[in-house]
Amino acid sequence: MARLRVGVLISGRGSNLQALIEAARDPAYPAELVTVVSNVPGAAGLARAAAAGIPAEPVDHKAFAGRAPFEDALTAVLERAGVELVCMAGFMRIVTEGFIARWRDRLINIHPSLLPAFPGLDTHAQALAAGVKLAGCTVHFVRPEVDHGPIIGQAAVPVLPGDTAEVLAARVLEAEHRLFPHCLRLVAEGRVRVAGEVAEIEDRGRPGPALINPPTR
Ligand code: GRF
């Protein structure tokens, strides 16, 4: 079976990229990473891609006279690599409607909250301030409204007494590293369909019991 050709957009550390790299090492995984682009030159994630033998290059947004020409350059790199699906993995640029329309339902993002709660920046501080007892992450199709769009999958983790934003972020990040490869697999297997503005998952199985926090003992 041909594997889905995936391009990954990053801005920094690239630990989610690394999780996708590890998943795609398995020849049976239905997606392959064919290019990685960072809007930040020197981002650590570029070195991770290079170490895995994946073509990787910076496209510095600061070198362009606006979002649209920057995104045209991104699309040119992605098209040259024959990309069929784009993953935003810690990509810290807002994208325009034009870019989203070009990649409609072929552009997915990971956000470190249980959307629609806490979109935008400082999500972990927002979650702590709200006193929620469960935090988590979401993989979703990208729509023009920031951190909105049909939800493919979510992972929940408990918020624990004494959590700081940093501690909570680390707990959520571990969940991100499991969720993103899982969601990419579902998409690559052709099991995700957007109906209206809801993502429907074919043959999805049943999750475990509820995660209750505080625990029932
Ligand atoms: C992740 O928490 C991601 O959800 C958020 O930015 C962080 C990127 O981390 N959008 P990394 O670059 O994947 O390590």
Side-chain angles (χ1 to χ4, degrees):
M1 190 192 75
R3 306 169 86 196
L4 188 73
R5 297 177 67 83
V6 172
V8 185
L9 304 182
I10 61 166
S11 297
R13 175 177 62 179
S15 70
N16 276 290
L17 165 66
Q18 190 69 46
L20 298 178
I21 289 172
E22 304 304 335
R25 276 193 211 288
D26 177 356
Y29 190 73
E32 63 175 321
L33 309 189
V34 295
T35 191
V36 173
V37 182
S38 169
N39 68 303
V40 178
L46 287 174
R48 293 181 192 261
I54 300 164
E57 61 181 278
V59 176
D60 184 356
H61 64 276
K62 293 197 188 112
F64 296 86
R67 288 189 197 274
F70 162 64
E71 292 170 357
D72 288 345
L74 280 185
T75 291
V77 174
L78 297 168
E79 283 180 344
R80 209 183 314 128
V83 164
E84 299 168 293
L85 181 93
V86 182
C87 290
M88 305 202 320
F91 183 64
M92 302 304 283
R93 299 296 297 169
I94 289 175
V95 287
T96 66
E97 291 199 31
F99 187 78
I100 294 165
R102 166 69 186 77
W103 296 99
R104 187 169 173 96
D105 293 344
R106 298 188 305 134
L107 177 61
I108 68 179
N109 178 50
I110 186 156
H111 179 76
S113 79
L114 293 171
L115 292 173
F118 317 128
L121 297 175
D122 300 322
T123 55
H124 305 296
Q126 290 186 57
L128 291 176
V132 295
K133 302 296 180 266
L134 295 176
C137 51
T138 302
V139 173
H140 64 97
F141 289 104
V142 174
R143 292 291 185 262
E145 197 178 341
V146 173
D147 297 327
H148 278 73
I151 291 171
I152 300 165
Q154 295 185 303
V157 301
V159 180
L160 300 178
D163 272 355
T164 61
E166 291 70 31
V167 169
L168 180 57
R171 193 176 305 124
V172 171
L173 191 65
E174 276 191 49
E176 292 183 50
H177 296 162
R178 293 175 57 200
L179 182 69
F180 210 172
H182 174 54
C183 290
L184 176 57
R185 169 190 288 279
L186 294 174
V187 173
E189 287 177 346
R191 290 164 57 195
V192 182
R193 200 171 64 91
V194 179
E197 277 301 86
V198 170
E200 290 174 353
I201 319 294
E202 197 181 292
D203 190 20
R204 62 197 295 285
R206 238 187 124 73
L211 169 59
I212 298 177
N213 186 33
T216 53
R217 251 177 240 291

